[in-house]
Amino acid sequence: METISFYGIFPMKRVLSGIQPSGELHLGNYFGMMSRMIKYQNENDLFCFIVNYHALTTIQDKDRLMNNTINAAMDFMSLGLDPEKSTFWVQSDVPQVCESTWLLSNVVNLGLLDRSTSYKDKLSKGLTPNLGLYSYPVLMASDILLFGGEIVPVGQDQKQHLEITRDIATRFNNIYGEVFVIPEPEIEKSTKLIPGIDGQKMSKSYGNTIPLFGEEKNIRKKFMSIVTDSTDIQKPKDTDTALFHLFSLFLNKSEKEELANRFMTPGMRYGDIKKELFECFWSYFEPFREKRIYLENHKDFVFDNLKKGAEKASLVAEGYMNKARHAMGLNFGSTNV
Ligand code: TRP
């Protein structure tokens, strides 16, 4: 898509992604996905939203859902998401995604949803599935198609959902004519490289995360409990380890080499490295923590921005919705014929 920007004709892409309001954010979320998204806002047309409709498939507690949603919005804004540069909103503030989910449902074969690995995973964990969980991928397709998302940065676990979205868009366009843009996934590979404190991939479901915001004492404890081996203090230490990889997130190339040298040098104590890593983390996130506190105390500012974002997003959604209604013969009695 060619967008006329302030600087002239510039091939700006619409980058779009939804974020689950799933509670406490961790270091893996930040370095895996969030920092990347936030960078996009400078060179691209970023659309980013908190998927509270999707969260309904697993959270049925009103207060918890509300809190998680507002916290996710504040987290993103304190980490640098700028509502002036991007379009940032809460999914349920643009309810057209529900309308389009119904329209799209009619071009989806059940086989496609039956094959969804994330659905199958949840079943195998003993969850009693509801229709919402089953049609989760259709709602996600709506999220993407209704805003003309061209590039969708997601984790590896969402790859299949993107394939389902492409399939739905292609089928729809084949039946009704060119209405939707076929999105391209952008799968983040380095997320795999962010280990948790036990050395496995950092993930909420493994209980091995380091939270971004929270009590200093608790976070320090997490850093101090990063798993290490029992190599003799006089021997060189392995650098292909959780501690080294986690520290590397904060270092440039030469600092990383310096750290590797220290690992090679006899006498290095893991405890000292962990303390330094904590200090490094703590000062890196200092400005974000301050912003977080500011936003906590200025929730109106957050709500105002989300509202503005929803208004911007609604305009785009209505454009696609009208095209779809028209293509399907649903523009009956409306002014949009
Ligand atoms: N399913 C995604 C996840 O769990 C969240 C999501 C919902 C999403 N709608 C989206 C991601 C649209 C990208 C685009 O992470």
Side-chain angles (χ1 to χ4, degrees), residues 78-284:
S78 35
L79 292 168
L81 189 110
D82 181 347
E84 298 288 328
K85 288 187 186 165
S86 59
T87 305
F88 183 51
W89 75 100
V90 174
Q91 189 184 28
S92 64
D93 283 342
V94 183
Q96 289 95 325
V97 289
C98 289
E99 182 184 353
S100 81
T101 298
W102 176 249
L103 304 193
L104 296 177
S105 293
N106 294 286
V107 301
V108 184
N109 287 334
L110 297 192
L112 196 63
L113 301 181
D114 288 335
R115 285 193 296 276
S116 159
T117 46
S118 94
Y119 176 69
K120 287 195 286 193
D121 272 3
K122 293 206 169 111
L123 286 195
S124 72
K125 282 188 189 134
L127 218 96
T128 312
N130 56 33
L131 184 56
L133 190 67
Y134 188 61
S135 56
Y136 183 113
V138 190
L139 178 58
M140 181 159 159
S142 258
D143 280 341
I144 300 171
L145 302 180
L146 208 54
F147 303 99
E150 295 176 276
I151 297 181
V152 185
V154 282
Q156 185 69 32
D157 61 326
Q158 296 297 312
K159 194 170 166 219
Q160 193 188 27
H161 284 155
L162 256 294
E163 279 157 16
I164 297 176
T165 301
R166 287 170 59 86
D167 192 281
I168 294 176
T170 309
R171 273 173 150 288
F172 188 100
N173 288 354
N174 282 341
I175 301 171
Y176 294 108
E178 294 296 312
V179 172
F180 294 118
V181 175
I182 315 289
E184 294 290 335
E186 204 214 62
I187 310 291
E188 172 59 4
K189 297 186 189 73
S190 72
T191 337
K192 284 202 256 38
L193 304 175
I194 302 172
I197 56 174
D198 62 354
Q200 296 185 80
K201 178 188 168 201
M202 190 179 291
S203 159
K204 221 176 128 195
S205 50
Y206 297 147
N208 62 2
T209 59
I210 298 175
L212 292 183
F213 300 110
E215 285 266 318
E216 179 173 355
K217 210 173 98 210
N218 291 344
I219 303 185
R220 186 192 295 272
K221 229 192 247 163
K222 297 272 183 190
F223 277 97
M224 296 314 288
S225 56
I226 295 170
V227 65
T228 46
D229 55 34
S230 49
T231 307
D232 187 298
I233 183 156
Q234 296 311 333
K235 297 251 163 70
K237 313 289 185 304
D238 190 1
T239 52
D240 189 15
T241 53
L243 183 57
F244 187 84
H245 290 308
L246 284 168
F247 213 147
S248 300
L249 295 170
F250 299 92
L251 305 178
N252 63 28
K253 202 163 163 264
S254 65
E255 290 166 333
K256 213 169 132 179
E257 280 163 15
E258 209 175 296
L259 184 68
N261 275 336
R262 288 178 66 194
F263 269 61
M264 298 304 158
T265 310
M268 187 276 280
R269 282 175 201 279
Y270 284 130
D272 295 340
I273 302 281
K274 288 180 185 180
K275 275 188 208 139
E276 282 174 43
L277 170 56
F278 170 75
E279 295 307 330
C280 205
F281 159 86
W282 195 250
S283 64
Y284 185 96

